[in-house]
Amino acid sequence: MAALHDALTPVFDEVIRRNPGEAEFHQAVREVLESLGPVLGKRPEYADAEIIRRLCEPERQIIFRVPWVDDAGRVQLNRGFRVEFNSALGPYKGGIRFHPSVYLGIVKFLGFEQIFKNALTGMPIGGGKGGSDFDPKGRSDAEVMRFCQSFMTELYRHIGEHTDVPAGDIGVGGREIGYLFGQYKRITNRYESGVLTGKGITWGGSQVRTESTGYGTVFFVKEALAARGMDLEGRRVVVSGSGNVAIYATEKAQALGAKVVATSDSSGYVVDEAGIDLDLLKEIKNGHRGRVSDYAARRDSAHFVAGGSIWDVPCDIALPCATQNELDADAAAALVRNGCLIVAEGANMPTTPEATRVLREGGVVFAPGKAVNAGGVATSALEMQQNASRDSWSFEHTEQRLSEIMSSIHARCLETADEYGAPGDYVAGANIAGFTHVADAMLALGVI
Ligand code: NDP
Ligand code: 2IT
């Protein structure tokens, strides 16, 4: 671990003491605090107003019971969360995750990161995150619907277009957002489009929101390569995960001339030296909610590796797009050994702190999730903008806006890194640029 500025050690100790057993939250806080030392020297007013301590304490945390009835008529029970972390810049904004691993520490790490990511987009959105330990795998549409309805029956009282605007994340896509929006509309008797993002195109959704996180990830990589006199043409790319972010990162990487040679899910990975057949992958994943092993079974050029590390597959560009801490120090060492140029995080915090260090020491460019995957939430903010004006934009216009946002995020990271004496360091740039933006708003709003 890198050292903390003297003034930040007690702040971090307090976070650990007040949030016991929440390892992912501690990790996310530590990563930001390690970047903030140089800021304290330049801006003593932040310390005077206890901005950092206040940022580490969520404004509100909601935990609730989610009972529902399965197809066999049995009562099932899950726990729901919404952590409303910071609203200095706008209504709380961030996704909802349905995965059996979800507990308060995961929701808080995601909500904390979301504050800085959202600030970095330059759009008027605060930070929040929610979720449940519900596992949608193997559940029927009717079970998922009943679960979503029960979840929203509590959540509705806490959200609203000017209060808190959830969206998707792991396990929550178009189907779930539909059920959640339907129940919100029914309970409140309001067609309040701006209360959720990631909606279907025919009922208030935005073009490109489905594609935006993955496309934005590749737009960021394109900028990072261009800054070094390179492009994506002919590059070998490995993308972990095979969900929303991974699929559309693969699509855009292929469109820009790269060759994506591996994909994965929680059961293992697939190598396809002919390049991933995205139509087939989409059919299996989106159409049937199948596994990557099904892909290998249907494609001669592909083979499936159960378990193992996808990062052993040699590549120029590595895009971790599955989940937190999926890329560890051994994986990073393999990437360095194989001559990887850049690791860009499509997922939230997929790279462990040790792995980040190995990559940097090995000369691999490292671009953190809060900058790289910000295109998803930025396009959510564009969806809110369209909802507020009862308008809908074309795919081309929306994609153009996304591309401009990603290039401005990239530029802000580099400018800020330069300004604070860490040229080329995307981690320092993203953390400091996001932090100063939200910190200035908090100063202006007083002690609240
Ligand atoms: P999806 O649910 O669509 O896909 C998740 C993928 O990651 C699946 O292939 C899944 O495999 C795999 N995965 C999930 N959890 C684990 C785990 N514990 N171990 C191994 N593999 C796992 O989610 P998204 O694509 O939406 O999200 C992926 C990442 O991107 C997350 O970190 C999310 O927070 C982040 N993100 C998402 C945004 C969005 O707009 N959707 C925006 C910004 C970031 P399996 O099916 O086997 O579980
Ligand atoms: O992690 C994220 O940025 C998301 N899951 C998307 C959040 C959003 O509100 O679109």
mmCIF file of all heavy atoms in Angstrom, residues 82 93-97 110 114 117-118 125 128-129 165-170 197-198 209 213 348 373-374 376-381, ligand 2:
data_model
loop_
_atom_site.group_PDB
_atom_site.id
_atom_site.type_symbol
_atom_site.label_atom_id
_atom_site.label_comp_id
_atom_site.label_asym_id
_atom_site.label_seq_id
_atom_site.Cartn_x
_atom_site.Cartn_y
_atom_site.Cartn_z
ATOM 1 N N ARG A 82 -30.132 0.755 -0.243
ATOM 2 C CA ARG A 82 -29.863 1.941 -1.053
ATOM 3 C C ARG A 82 -29.028 2.862 -0.183
ATOM 4 O O ARG A 82 -29.455 3.244 0.913
ATOM 5 C CB ARG A 82 -31.164 2.633 -1.494
ATOM 6 C CG ARG A 82 -30.948 3.792 -2.470
ATOM 7 C CD ARG A 82 -30.546 3.326 -3.868
ATOM 8 N NE ARG A 82 -30.250 4.453 -4.761
ATOM 9 C CZ ARG A 82 -29.656 4.325 -5.953
ATOM 10 N NH1 ARG A 82 -29.300 3.135 -6.417
ATOM 11 N NH2 ARG A 82 -29.411 5.380 -6.688
ATOM 12 N N LYS A 93 -27.307 9.404 -7.733
ATOM 13 C CA LYS A 93 -27.398 8.691 -9.008
ATOM 14 C C LYS A 93 -26.458 7.517 -8.967
ATOM 15 O O LYS A 93 -25.277 7.672 -8.620
ATOM 16 C CB LYS A 93 -27.003 9.639 -10.161
ATOM 17 C CG LYS A 93 -27.129 8.997 -11.535
ATOM 18 C CD LYS A 93 -28.542 9.052 -12.046
ATOM 19 C CE LYS A 93 -28.814 8.092 -13.195
ATOM 20 N NZ LYS A 93 -29.217 6.719 -12.738
ATOM 21 N N GLY A 94 -26.951 6.358 -9.346
ATOM 22 C CA GLY A 94 -26.110 5.170 -9.404
ATOM 23 C C GLY A 94 -26.964 3.930 -9.513
ATOM 24 O O GLY A 94 -28.170 3.966 -9.266
ATOM 25 N N GLY A 95 -26.332 2.848 -9.889
ATOM 26 C CA GLY A 95 -27.063 1.635 -10.240
ATOM 27 C C GLY A 95 -27.561 0.835 -9.048
ATOM 28 O O GLY A 95 -27.338 1.165 -7.886
ATOM 29 N N ILE A 96 -28.261 -0.233 -9.395
ATOM 30 C CA ILE A 96 -28.729 -1.229 -8.440
ATOM 31 C C ILE A 96 -28.134 -2.569 -8.878
ATOM 32 O O ILE A 96 -28.186 -2.911 -10.065
ATOM 33 C CB ILE A 96 -30.270 -1.313 -8.456
ATOM 34 C CG1 ILE A 96 -30.854 -0.043 -7.856
ATOM 35 C CG2 ILE A 96 -30.764 -2.540 -7.708
ATOM 36 C CD1 ILE A 96 -32.365 -0.020 -7.880
ATOM 37 N N ARG A 97 -27.559 -3.307 -7.935
ATOM 38 C CA ARG A 97 -26.936 -4.598 -8.242
ATOM 39 C C ARG A 97 -27.706 -5.726 -7.569
ATOM 40 O O ARG A 97 -27.948 -5.656 -6.364
ATOM 41 C CB ARG A 97 -25.485 -4.586 -7.754
ATOM 42 C CG ARG A 97 -24.782 -5.925 -7.916
ATOM 43 C CD ARG A 97 -23.325 -5.876 -7.502
ATOM 44 N NE ARG A 97 -22.521 -5.007 -8.357
ATOM 45 C CZ ARG A 97 -21.185 -4.956 -8.320
ATOM 46 N NH1 ARG A 97 -20.515 -5.736 -7.488
ATOM 47 N NH2 ARG A 97 -20.538 -4.131 -9.117
ATOM 48 N N LEU A 110 -19.335 0.900 -3.911
ATOM 49 C CA LEU A 110 -19.830 1.351 -5.219
ATOM 50 C C LEU A 110 -20.380 2.777 -5.123
ATOM 51 O O LEU A 110 -20.138 3.609 -6.008
ATOM 52 C CB LEU A 110 -20.905 0.389 -5.719
ATOM 53 C CG LEU A 110 -20.384 -1.002 -6.134
ATOM 54 C CD1 LEU A 110 -21.531 -2.012 -6.213
ATOM 55 C CD2 LEU A 110 -19.647 -0.940 -7.465
ATOM 56 N N GLN A 114 -18.949 6.128 -6.944
ATOM 57 C CA GLN A 114 -19.899 6.802 -7.832
ATOM 58 C C GLN A 114 -19.850 8.323 -7.653
ATOM 59 O O GLN A 114 -20.052 9.074 -8.610
ATOM 60 C CB GLN A 114 -21.314 6.275 -7.542
ATOM 61 C CG GLN A 114 -22.310 6.489 -8.666
ATOM 62 C CD GLN A 114 -22.222 5.445 -9.763
ATOM 63 O OE1 GLN A 114 -22.121 4.261 -9.478
ATOM 64 N NE2 GLN A 114 -22.259 5.870 -11.002
ATOM 65 N N LYS A 117 -16.878 9.495 -9.778
ATOM 66 C CA LYS A 117 -17.147 9.206 -11.186
ATOM 67 C C LYS A 117 -18.153 10.218 -11.737
ATOM 68 O O LYS A 117 -17.953 10.804 -12.803
ATOM 69 C CB LYS A 117 -17.717 7.787 -11.289
ATOM 70 C CG LYS A 117 -18.024 7.329 -12.704
ATOM 71 C CD LYS A 117 -18.933 6.095 -12.726
ATOM 72 C CE LYS A 117 -18.357 4.930 -11.972
ATOM 73 N NZ LYS A 117 -19.129 3.676 -12.188
ATOM 74 N N ASN A 118 -19.226 10.400 -10.985
ATOM 75 C CA ASN A 118 -20.282 11.288 -11.466
ATOM 76 C C ASN A 118 -19.780 12.725 -11.538
ATOM 77 O O ASN A 118 -20.113 13.463 -12.479
ATOM 78 C CB ASN A 118 -21.519 11.163 -10.570
ATOM 79 C CG ASN A 118 -22.161 9.773 -10.678
ATOM 80 O OD1 ASN A 118 -21.632 8.899 -11.352
ATOM 81 N ND2 ASN A 118 -23.288 9.579 -10.022
ATOM 82 N N ILE A 125 -25.102 15.365 -11.168
ATOM 83 C CA ILE A 125 -25.543 14.131 -10.504
ATOM 84 C C ILE A 125 -24.688 13.841 -9.277
ATOM 85 O O ILE A 125 -23.465 13.884 -9.334
ATOM 86 C CB ILE A 125 -25.520 12.917 -11.476
ATOM 87 C CG1 ILE A 125 -24.280 12.935 -12.372
ATOM 88 C CG2 ILE A 125 -26.800 12.865 -12.319
ATOM 89 C CD1 ILE A 125 -24.178 11.758 -13.349
ATOM 90 N N GLY A 128 -24.810 7.585 -5.489
ATOM 91 C CA GLY A 128 -25.508 6.610 -4.659
ATOM 92 C C GLY A 128 -25.428 5.241 -5.310
ATOM 93 O O GLY A 128 -24.966 5.111 -6.443
ATOM 94 N N LYS A 129 -25.841 4.230 -4.583
ATOM 95 C CA LYS A 129 -25.855 2.872 -5.144
ATOM 96 C C LYS A 129 -26.817 2.026 -4.331
ATOM 97 O O LYS A 129 -27.064 2.312 -3.157
ATOM 98 C CB LYS A 129 -24.455 2.253 -5.039
ATOM 99 C CG LYS A 129 -24.228 1.101 -5.991
ATOM 100 C CD LYS A 129 -23.849 1.606 -7.369
ATOM 101 C CE LYS A 129 -23.699 0.513 -8.379
ATOM 102 N NZ LYS A 129 -23.059 0.999 -9.603
ATOM 103 N N VAL A 165 -31.999 8.682 -8.292
ATOM 104 C CA VAL A 165 -32.350 8.100 -9.596
ATOM 105 C C VAL A 165 -31.520 6.823 -9.853
ATOM 106 O O VAL A 165 -30.408 6.886 -10.372
ATOM 107 C CB VAL A 165 -32.111 9.127 -10.735
ATOM 108 C CG1 VAL A 165 -32.538 8.542 -12.080
ATOM 109 C CG2 VAL A 165 -32.843 10.432 -10.442
ATOM 110 N N PRO A 166 -32.063 5.655 -9.488
ATOM 111 C CA PRO A 166 -31.329 4.399 -9.732
ATOM 112 C C PRO A 166 -31.291 4.008 -11.212
ATOM 113 O O PRO A 166 -32.015 4.551 -12.048
ATOM 114 C CB PRO A 166 -32.131 3.358 -8.937
ATOM 115 C CG PRO A 166 -32.998 4.128 -7.991
ATOM 116 C CD PRO A 166 -33.291 5.428 -8.705
ATOM 117 N N ALA A 167 -30.430 3.024 -11.506
ATOM 118 C CA ALA A 167 -30.283 2.452 -12.855
ATOM 119 C C ALA A 167 -29.826 1.014 -12.683
ATOM 120 O O ALA A 167 -29.942 0.460 -11.592
ATOM 121 C CB ALA A 167 -29.250 3.269 -13.639
ATOM 122 N N GLY A 168 -29.286 0.412 -13.733
ATOM 123 C CA GLY A 168 -28.834 -0.976 -13.663
ATOM 124 C C GLY A 168 -27.397 -1.115 -13.201
ATOM 125 O O GLY A 168 -26.649 -0.145 -13.088
ATOM 126 N N ASP A 169 -27.029 -2.334 -12.916
ATOM 127 C CA ASP A 169 -25.646 -2.743 -12.619
ATOM 128 C C ASP A 169 -25.649 -4.269 -12.770
ATOM 129 O O ASP A 169 -26.523 -4.805 -13.475
ATOM 130 C CB ASP A 169 -25.241 -2.298 -11.193
ATOM 131 C CG ASP A 169 -23.731 -2.374 -10.958
ATOM 132 O OD1 ASP A 169 -23.003 -1.458 -11.372
ATOM 133 O OD2 ASP A 169 -23.256 -3.375 -10.363
ATOM 134 N N ILE A 170 -24.739 -4.979 -12.134
ATOM 135 C CA ILE A 170 -24.720 -6.438 -12.265
ATOM 136 C C ILE A 170 -26.093 -7.020 -11.918
ATOM 137 O O ILE A 170 -26.669 -6.678 -10.876
ATOM 138 C CB ILE A 170 -23.640 -7.056 -11.349
ATOM 139 C CG1 ILE A 170 -22.244 -6.706 -11.872
ATOM 140 C CG2 ILE A 170 -23.813 -8.578 -11.249
ATOM 141 C CD1 ILE A 170 -21.111 -7.193 -10.983
ATOM 142 N N THR A 197 -33.143 5.300 -14.790
ATOM 143 C CA THR A 197 -32.578 5.321 -16.146
ATOM 144 C C THR A 197 -32.240 3.895 -16.582
ATOM 145 O O THR A 197 -32.207 2.976 -15.774
ATOM 146 C CB THR A 197 -31.334 6.224 -16.244
ATOM 147 O OG1 THR A 197 -30.343 5.740 -15.337
ATOM 148 C CG2 THR A 197 -31.670 7.671 -15.933
ATOM 149 N N GLY A 198 -32.021 3.783 -17.912
ATOM 150 C CA GLY A 198 -31.857 2.442 -18.487
ATOM 151 C C GLY A 198 -33.201 1.879 -18.913
ATOM 152 O O GLY A 198 -33.362 0.671 -19.068
ATOM 153 N N ARG A 209 -27.991 4.117 -24.199
ATOM 154 C CA ARG A 209 -27.729 3.804 -22.787
ATOM 155 C C ARG A 209 -27.291 2.355 -22.628
ATOM 156 O O ARG A 209 -26.375 2.055 -21.852
ATOM 157 C CB ARG A 209 -28.966 4.094 -21.898
ATOM 158 C CG ARG A 209 -28.745 3.710 -20.414
ATOM 159 C CD ARG A 209 -27.588 4.500 -19.791
ATOM 160 N NE ARG A 209 -27.182 4.056 -18.466
ATOM 161 C CZ ARG A 209 -26.250 3.115 -18.205
ATOM 162 N NH1 ARG A 209 -25.625 2.487 -19.195
ATOM 163 N NH2 ARG A 209 -25.935 2.817 -16.966
ATOM 164 N N THR A 213 -21.761 2.085 -21.481
ATOM 165 C CA THR A 213 -20.621 1.822 -20.599
ATOM 166 C C THR A 213 -19.505 1.149 -21.401
ATOM 167 O O THR A 213 -18.330 1.543 -21.310
ATOM 168 C CB THR A 213 -21.039 0.960 -19.402
ATOM 169 O OG1 THR A 213 -22.212 1.523 -18.815
ATOM 170 C CG2 THR A 213 -19.947 0.891 -18.370
ATOM 171 N N ASN A 348 -16.220 -1.830 -11.972
ATOM 172 C CA ASN A 348 -15.866 -0.997 -10.833
ATOM 173 C C ASN A 348 -14.866 -1.734 -9.946
ATOM 174 O O ASN A 348 -15.157 -2.832 -9.461
ATOM 175 C CB ASN A 348 -17.126 -0.651 -10.026
ATOM 176 C CG ASN A 348 -17.986 0.375 -10.752
ATOM 177 O OD1 ASN A 348 -17.486 1.423 -11.173
ATOM 178 N ND2 ASN A 348 -19.267 0.082 -10.935
ATOM 179 N N ASN A 373 -15.292 3.840 -17.027
ATOM 180 C CA ASN A 373 -16.670 3.354 -17.218
ATOM 181 C C ASN A 373 -17.725 4.431 -16.953
ATOM 182 O O ASN A 373 -18.925 4.122 -16.875
ATOM 183 C CB ASN A 373 -16.923 2.067 -16.416
ATOM 184 C CG ASN A 373 -16.967 2.288 -14.906
ATOM 185 O OD1 ASN A 373 -17.522 3.265 -14.433
ATOM 186 N ND2 ASN A 373 -16.405 1.357 -14.151
ATOM 187 N N ALA A 374 -17.288 5.695 -16.870
ATOM 188 C CA ALA A 374 -18.215 6.791 -16.566
ATOM 189 C C ALA A 374 -19.205 7.083 -17.697
ATOM 190 O O ALA A 374 -20.176 7.820 -17.516
ATOM 191 C CB ALA A 374 -17.431 8.062 -16.242
ATOM 192 N N GLY A 376 -21.404 5.166 -18.877
ATOM 193 C CA GLY A 376 -22.729 4.615 -18.558
ATOM 194 C C GLY A 376 -23.567 5.620 -17.797
ATOM 195 O O GLY A 376 -24.679 5.986 -18.216
ATOM 196 N N VAL A 377 -23.010 6.110 -16.701
ATOM 197 C CA VAL A 377 -23.791 7.053 -15.895
ATOM 198 C C VAL A 377 -23.951 8.389 -16.628
ATOM 199 O O VAL A 377 -24.970 9.076 -16.471
ATOM 200 C CB VAL A 377 -23.181 7.210 -14.480
ATOM 201 C CG1 VAL A 377 -21.923 8.068 -14.487
ATOM 202 C CG2 VAL A 377 -24.216 7.767 -13.508
ATOM 203 N N ALA A 378 -22.963 8.754 -17.438
ATOM 204 C CA ALA A 378 -23.086 10.000 -18.203
ATOM 205 C C ALA A 378 -24.268 9.907 -19.173
ATOM 206 O O ALA A 378 -25.043 10.865 -19.329
ATOM 207 C CB ALA A 378 -21.794 10.284 -18.970
ATOM 208 N N THR A 379 -24.429 8.737 -19.788
ATOM 209 C CA THR A 379 -25.559 8.574 -20.712
ATOM 210 C C THR A 379 -26.873 8.491 -19.927
ATOM 211 O O THR A 379 -27.926 8.918 -20.413
ATOM 212 C CB THR A 379 -25.337 7.358 -21.625
ATOM 213 O OG1 THR A 379 -24.041 7.493 -22.233
ATOM 214 C CG2 THR A 379 -26.386 7.280 -22.724
ATOM 215 N N SER A 380 -26.809 7.985 -18.696
ATOM 216 C CA SER A 380 -27.988 8.067 -17.821
ATOM 217 C C SER A 380 -28.379 9.529 -17.597
ATOM 218 O O SER A 380 -29.565 9.877 -17.593
ATOM 219 C CB SER A 380 -27.703 7.413 -16.465
ATOM 220 O OG SER A 380 -27.818 6.012 -16.528
ATOM 221 N N ALA A 381 -27.375 10.381 -17.390
ATOM 222 C CA ALA A 381 -27.665 11.810 -17.203
ATOM 223 C C ALA A 381 -28.254 12.404 -18.489
ATOM 224 O O ALA A 381 -29.133 13.275 -18.434
ATOM 225 C CB ALA A 381 -26.410 12.558 -16.771
HETATM 226 O O1 2IT B 2 -21.471 1.874 -11.885
HETATM 227 C C1 2IT B 2 -22.172 2.621 -12.608
HETATM 228 O O2 2IT B 2 -21.772 3.730 -12.975
HETATM 229 C C2 2IT B 2 -23.491 2.130 -13.037
HETATM 230 N N1 2IT B 2 -23.840 0.997 -12.722
HETATM 231 C C3 2IT B 2 -24.398 3.008 -13.845
HETATM 232 C C4 2IT B 2 -25.086 4.005 -12.958
HETATM 233 C C5 2IT B 2 -26.179 4.818 -13.622
HETATM 234 O O3 2IT B 2 -26.865 5.505 -12.859
HETATM 235 O O4 2IT B 2 -26.328 4.797 -14.840
#
